[in-house]
Amino acid sequence: MTTVVPVTAQTSPSLLLQGQTYYDAGRFADAAIAWAKAAQDYEQKGDRFKQAVSLNYLSLAYQDLGQWKDAEASINQSLTLLETQSNAGILAQALNTQGNLQLATGQPEAAFKTWQVAETAYKRADDEMGVLGSKINQAQALQSLGMFRRSQSLLEQVQQTLNTQPNSLVKATGLRSLGLVWQTVGDLEESQNALEESLAVARTLNSAPDISAALFSLGNTARGLGEMTLALQYYQQATETATSPLSQLEAQLNQFNLLIHLQQFSDAQLLLPSIQANLSPLPPSRDAIYTQVNLAASLMQLVQVQKANTAKLANNRDIAQLLAKAIQDSKTVKDIRAESFALGTLGKLYEQTQQLDDAKTLIQQALILSQRINATDISYQWQWQLARVLTQQGDMQEAIAANQKAVDIVRSLRGDLVAMNSDIRFSFQEEIEPIYRHLVNLLLKSPSQDNLKQARNVIESLQLAELENFFRTSCLEVKSEQIDTVIEKDDPTAAVIYPIILPDRLAVILSLPGEPLSQYTTPLSQTAVEEAVNQMQKTLHRVIPSKERLRVSQTIYNWLIQPVEAQLAEGNIKTLVFVLDGVLRNVPIAALYDGQQYLVEKYSIVLTPGLQLLEPRSLKNIQLQALTGGLSEARQGFSALPGVEQEVNDISKTIQSQVLFNETFTLAALEHQIKTLPVAIVHLATHGQFSSNPEDTFLLTWDERLSADTLSELLQVKEQRNAEPIELLVLSACQSATGDKRAALGLAGLAVRSGARSTVATLWSVNDESTAKAMVEFYRHLIQSDGNRAEALRQAQLFLLKQEQYEHPYYWAPFVLIGNWL
């Protein structure tokens, strides 16, 4: 919550007030000049208090301008001056500014502590809104630190506090701020609830600005939830209730963009004249420039998709003129960030019209400006655009270099990708994923060893970026080891297979022990790969004839395995480690068929999101004890799992176990046992689901749903207490959401985020009885085979395959091992 508090008469001679006027108008450079002059004047007059106020405001302006060192110097000087002052309110504001700066520059722990101090100062100043804002800020910092339960608990506290207050503008604003934070951290349902409450309060008070602001934010949340019709309604209502031309324009622009996305061109055409009329009279400011750029970007999308009957709605000449004005306005208000946005967008327009030399020049200018203010959140976009232009110009070496820089920046931003740019929201699959795939495509066109290694690393970075975007946070940071090193040191009979889905082909990189990397490809469109995967999933139903199932299974086998069958045999390979890409994550690899045998009959199979493993080690010298949680009764709308009781009982007879069952399998009990018991294995036999929606990725306990975030924190507690980590997490009754292309991300993400060294789970929910038998066999072989997890799971699958009633892949193919296989 970054705000400039209105300057009071006590602290507001003309320069301070002038700076605030500029700042509110989005003219940050002019605001900085005014506040810097104010600070200088007060220093000369010996007025330390007003100098501190000026420097606090100056830091805010510098932050908006991307001048981070100047911002830090200003706020540090302000806080030093305030040490001798007794005004708690001004001190709190300065601390809030410092916290914003710390979070923006990658120091979430420092930001959290600063906002805690700010909260105390706001309490002394009796500033209720300041206290709530500090808590909301603390919750954002906790999210960045991976402390999700603490963050959620803090946000819920804020909501409870607000709900107990009488209706007021403070309450309406606080609830709206809370809704925006829920939106940022990805809990869209909570965001919707808070924003609806904010709207209700604003309507009670008949506050038009707050009504419009709440409606606008509700539109954004509804769009995030996929409720497009509702989002359009909110944007329309926000437009009608807006009290300023700018807020009306912002709502219209979001509505216009969504209409184009939905290909409702007639409605978009009706809206455009009003947008243009509202845009024309706006004085130059960052907000006005952003609206011009956003309108231009939407019109460029329209040009790409529009049909003959809408051809008059947008043309490239008008778009170019709109962006040229945005560039000029940016120079007028000395806003480097806005100028970079406008230049880069104009470069994209020229790229679309194949004016490649002009596009390259503009993009390079935009890049230089973004680098000057260290605006990495836009620099990666210009590097990516530059790579595309250079590719079209045939300059492959420079294209690879620019594309690599774009990937490096995206990788450095990590979990900030979702929240880093509030001005232009984007879809990961549309905006980020193509950057990685384009680079891999370039590298594999000239497959030297260096390029193959680089391509492999890039596709793994994509896997991690997908998971971080999925969970809207950085994934678990742990000690790790390269798979190549593990194979060389501990398992020279394992090979790693990297299938990569590209627009025109399926490329596969093979890593064999002690051998250089190799590549083989099949000319295929991405659509053809997706259709084959979907077909295989459908044929795994028990009523589908085996002939059709085996045909599709063999097709995918021929793409992934057949070209290297001889190499695998010559290398005496026993374990295949797959780093699967895209929809291939939904393929039950064990059921691939070579014409005579299933793959699981020849190899142990492991899945991993990448080369990095969680400190791999064998279970040979570890005393295997399990904490087993089971839920057999119907709970929370889910059906009963009668076979779970037998599964839990049989497991406890096979391996030493502490059991939590039905009423005793609560979240609190699970947390307590994980903290206190020296167990290496956690086995959860309960309903669960993996989905492309993080809110729909969960496990069920007796009393509540266990999210991936919560499970991650529970399992990491042991390591934080320097106890032995969880070696194996087994989830025996879960499933991937039906028809969900990205559902396997939920499974992979939960496995990575849990912190367990390896995870056994299922791609779909299977028969209780067969699952119980498979789990008992798994543990029996785990104990007998010196703890080799992959071979233990393979033997459990073969046990089912060899029994007539369970020979269909439906029963044994969904079991997968993710992570360490030793």
Side-chain angles (χ1 to χ4, degrees):
M1 294 179 65
T2 305
T3 56
V4 175
V5 177
V7 180
T8 64
Q10 180 187 3
T11 64
S12 71
S14 58
L15 284 171
L16 274 180
L17 192 57
Q18 188 180 62
Q20 183 175 325
T21 302
Y22 284 136
Y23 189 92
D24 291 343
R27 296 175 60 176
F28 304 121
D30 291 332
I33 291 170
W35 284 331
K37 183 68 168 61
Q40 187 179 20
D41 287 354
Y42 288 128
E43 183 180 17
Q44 291 173 351
K45 293 175 182 176
D47 191 333
R48 296 168 64 86
F49 176 70
K50 291 178 183 176
Q51 182 189 356
V53 171
S54 304
L55 288 165
N56 173 37
Y57 291 168
L58 181 58
S59 179
L60 285 175
Y62 281 146
Q63 287 182 48
D64 281 298
L65 291 167
Q67 297 173 217
W68 305 110
K69 289 184 179 179
D70 291 334
E72 184 178 15
S74 297
I75 195 57
N76 286 345
Q77 190 179 354
S78 175
L79 287 167
T80 299
L81 291 168
L82 287 170
E83 287 176 357
T84 60
Q85 306 296 318
S86 58
N87 191 312
I90 297 298
L91 174 62
Q93 291 173 33
L95 288 165
N96 188 46
T97 300
Q98 185 183 44
N100 286 324
L101 176 62
Q102 289 165 333
L103 190 65
T105 53
Q107 305 171 69
E109 189 169 359
F112 175 71
K113 292 176 180 176
T114 298
W115 280 324
Q116 284 184 311
V117 180
E119 179 188 350
T120 302
Y122 276 123
K123 284 178 181 175
R124 290 205 311 270
D126 199 25
D127 184 339
E128 195 172 17
M129 191 62 220
V131 170
L132 292 173
S134 295
K135 286 184 176 180
I136 291 173
N137 287 337
Q138 288 169 46
Q140 286 185 280
L142 288 170
Q143 280 280 331
S144 296
L145 290 166
M147 300 179 182
F148 309 104
R149 294 173 73 196
R150 282 184 64 187
S151 174
Q152 184 171 356
S153 175
L154 193 53
L155 290 173
E156 288 170 351
Q157 272 181 40
V158 171
Q159 188 146 3
Q160 289 171 3
T161 301
L162 287 167
N163 288 339
T164 59
Q165 292 181 344
N167 288 344
S168 66
L169 291 179
V170 168
K171 182 175 182 178
T173 304
L175 285 167
R176 188 169 73 250
S177 298
L178 185 62
L180 292 174
V181 174
W182 282 123
Q183 188 184 90
T184 299
V185 302
D187 195 332
L188 298 181
E189 291 181 358
E190 287 290 352
S191 171
Q192 196 169 49
N193 292 337
L195 291 170
E196 285 174 349
E197 291 176 25
S198 174
L199 177 61
V201 174
R203 281 177 168 160
T204 301
L205 300 170
N206 199 27
S207 173
D210 292 282
I211 292 171
S212 181
L215 287 165
F216 178 75
S217 297
L218 276 165
N220 292 338
T221 295
R223 183 169 183 174
L225 287 166
E227 300 170 355
M228 302 306 184
T229 302
L230 182 60
L232 287 173
Q233 292 172 358
Y234 279 133
Y235 291 143
Q236 177 63 38
Q237 292 173 45
T239 300
E240 293 168 355
T241 55
T243 56
S244 73
L246 183 61
S247 57
Q248 184 180 59
L249 185 59
E250 287 174 338
Q252 288 177 319
L253 277 169
N254 280 23
Q255 184 181 357
F256 183 68
N257 181 270
L258 183 51
L259 288 169
I260 293 170
H261 175 75
L262 298 172
Q263 297 195 6
Q264 297 180 18
F265 300 127
S266 297
D267 291 338
Q269 188 168 13
L270 292 173
L271 186 58
L272 185 57
S274 178
I275 291 174
Q276 292 168 328
N278 280 333
L279 186 60
S280 297
L282 287 180
S285 70
R286 173 173 290 182
D287 288 335
I289 295 161
Y290 278 5
T291 57
Q292 293 174 67
V293 174
N294 288 349
L295 175 58
S298 293
L299 291 172
M300 286 161 60
Q301 291 177 30
L302 185 59
V303 168
Q304 296 293 95
V305 300
Q306 66 186 359
K307 299 174 184 177
N309 64 344
T310 61
K312 294 181 180 179
L313 189 53
N315 64 73
N316 291 322
R317 179 176 295 179
D318 290 343
I319 297 171
Q321 290 177 350
L322 183 63
L323 289 168
K325 183 179 184 301
I327 293 167
Q328 185 55 52
D329 287 349
S330 301
K331 291 177 178 177
T332 299
V333 298
K334 305 180 186 69
D335 194 322
I336 294 175
R337 183 182 179 88
E339 185 180 354
S340 178
F341 255 127
L343 281 165
T345 307
L346 184 57
K348 186 175 183 179
L349 175 65
Y350 284 147
E351 178 194 353
Q352 288 184 0
T353 58
Q354 290 298 292
Q355 297 168 263
L356 297 181
D357 288 338
D358 290 334
K360 179 180 174 182
T361 299
L362 287 164
I363 294 165
Q364 287 173 331
Q365 291 174 3
L367 181 59
I368 289 168
L369 291 177
S370 65
Q371 289 171 335
R372 187 187 302 175
I373 58 172
N374 196 29
T376 51
D377 59 319
I378 52 177
S379 291
Y380 84 87
Q381 298 178 50
W382 309 150
Q383 294 282 14
W384 161 228
Q385 283 186 203
L386 186 59
R388 297 199 306 266
V389 171
L390 290 166
T391 300
Q392 292 180 73
Q393 291 181 321
D395 191 346
M396 294 312 207
Q397 189 171 349
E398 288 299 316
I400 288 174
N403 210 150
Q404 183 64 61
K405 288 175 184 175
V407 167
D408 289 343
I409 295 171
V410 168
R411 190 184 298 161
S412 71
L413 291 170
R414 297 178 71 79
D416 296 332
L417 280 174
V418 171
M420 70 182 182
N421 187 355
S422 59
D423 307 307
I424 301 175
R425 297 288 176 183
F426 58 83
S427 158
F428 179 88
Q429 289 175 287
E430 293 173 2
E431 301 294 332
I432 300 300
E433 188 174 331
I435 300 174
Y436 287 85
R437 295 201 181 279
H438 189 267
L439 178 55
V440 172
N441 202 353
L442 292 176
L443 291 166
L444 293 184
K445 283 183 177 178
S446 50
S448 65
Q449 274 301 297
D450 286 344
N451 281 359
L452 284 176
K453 288 178 181 178
Q454 192 177 349
R456 181 181 69 173
N457 292 338
V458 171
I459 206 68
E460 289 182 356
S461 294
L462 171 59
Q463 298 251 1
L464 182 59
E466 282 183 302
L467 292 174
E468 291 177 336
N469 174 263
F470 177 83
F471 284 107
R472 297 176 175 89
T473 183
S474 293
C475 282
L476 191 63
E477 293 285 358
V478 294
K479 294 179 181 178
S480 57
E481 192 170 346
Q482 294 280 353
I483 287 183
D484 292 351
T485 306
V486 175
I487 290 174
E488 182 180 338
K489 185 175 63 177
D490 298 312
D491 189 359
T493 64
V496 190
I497 295 174
Y498 305 80
I500 303 169
I501 302 171
L502 297 170
D504 60 345
R505 65 197 189 281
L506 178 64
V508 185
I509 297 175
L510 174 67
S511 175
L512 289 170
E515 298 287 336
L517 297 177
S518 59
Q519 176 195 188
Y520 48 102
T521 62
T522 306
L524 284 168
S525 68
Q526 181 174 340
T527 302
V529 175
E530 291 176 352
E531 286 176 353
V533 171
N534 290 337
Q535 199 173 2
M536 182 174 180
Q537 288 178 299
K538 290 175 183 176
T539 62
L540 286 165
H541 198 282
R542 285 164 292 179
V543 300
I544 303 298
S546 294
K547 184 177 180 180
E548 175 64 11
R549 170 172 51 79
L550 294 175
R551 183 190 66 78
V552 180
S553 176
Q554 189 169 357
T555 297
I556 299 177
Y557 176 92
N558 289 342
W559 296 344
L560 301 183
I561 308 297
Q562 190 274 333
V564 291
E565 280 180 334
Q567 287 175 265
L568 297 176
E570 288 170 12
N572 194 30
I573 298 301
K574 296 180 180 178
T575 301
L576 298 181
V577 182
F578 287 87
V579 183
L580 295 174
D581 183 30
V583 294
L584 292 172
R585 297 188 193 102
N586 295 320
V587 173
I589 296 294
L592 295 184
Y593 190 68
D594 69 358
Q596 295 181 321
Q597 288 180 298
Y598 291 109
L599 193 63
V600 73
E601 295 183 82
K602 299 192 289 184
Y603 301 100
S604 298
I605 297 165
V606 187
L607 308 181
T608 177
L611 283 176
Q612 303 291 334
L613 288 178
L614 302 176
E615 267 192 310
R617 61 174 179 170
S618 171
L619 296 179
K620 288 180 183 179
N621 302 316
I622 298 175
Q623 184 178 1
L624 295 182
Q625 297 183 58
L627 170 61
T628 305
L631 190 61
S632 66
E633 295 187 16
R635 297 293 293 175
Q636 303 177 48
F638 288 84
S639 59
L641 293 169
V644 165
E645 183 170 8
Q646 186 66 47
E647 177 181 341
V648 169
N649 289 336
D650 288 347
I651 288 170
S652 63
K653 294 173 184 176
T654 309
I655 187 170
Q656 185 177 342
S657 305
Q658 176 68 38
V659 177
L660 299 173
F661 186 66
N662 283 344
E663 294 93 337
T664 62
F665 180 39
T666 64
L667 181 56
L670 181 64
E671 182 173 10
H672 175 73
Q673 297 285 29
I674 287 174
K675 283 181 179 178
T676 57
L677 291 179
V679 294
I681 300 170
V682 173
H683 183 112
L684 303 178
T686 178
H687 276 297
Q689 182 171 280
F690 311 115
S691 167
S692 60
N693 182 351
E695 283 74 47
D696 292 333
T697 295
F698 61 88
L699 305 172
L700 210 64
T701 64
W702 179 263
D703 53 344
E704 57 186 292
R705 291 183 178 187
L706 177 61
S707 70
D709 287 342
T710 303
L711 180 63
S712 169
E713 290 192 32
L714 288 182
L715 297 189
Q716 289 176 56
V717 164
K718 293 178 76 67
E719 291 195 74
Q720 292 165 3
R721 296 161 64 97
N722 295 318
E724 286 295 319
I726 301 298
E727 287 291 337
L728 180 62
L729 172 66
V730 181
L731 310 171
S732 72
C734 303
Q735 63 180 329
S736 289
T738 306
D740 190 334
K741 288 183 180 179
R742 301 179 78 219
L745 274 179
L747 170 55
L750 190 146
V752 172
R753 291 281 308 289
S754 73
R757 297 305 186 239
S758 50
T759 299
V760 171
T762 54
L763 293 174
W764 59 83
S765 187
V766 290
N767 178 278
D768 284 2
E769 185 178 339
S770 62
T771 299
K773 292 178 183 294
M775 288 296 101
V776 170
E777 283 298 307
F778 170 69
Y779 285 114
R780 190 168 67 83
H781 284 282
L782 194 66
I783 295 170
Q784 293 177 354
S785 62
D786 291 329
N788 187 295
R789 303 164 222 216
E791 182 59 21
L793 181 61
R794 174 173 176 263
Q795 291 300 328
Q797 290 173 295
L798 292 178
F799 173 79
L800 295 180
L801 173 59
K802 291 173 184 176
Q803 297 185 54
E804 185 176 351
Q805 69 268 41
Y806 300 132
E807 67 180 356
H808 194 286
Y810 167 81
Y811 294 100
W812 52 263
F815 294 99
V816 293
L817 173 67
I818 302 171
N820 177 26
W821 69 91
L822 300 176

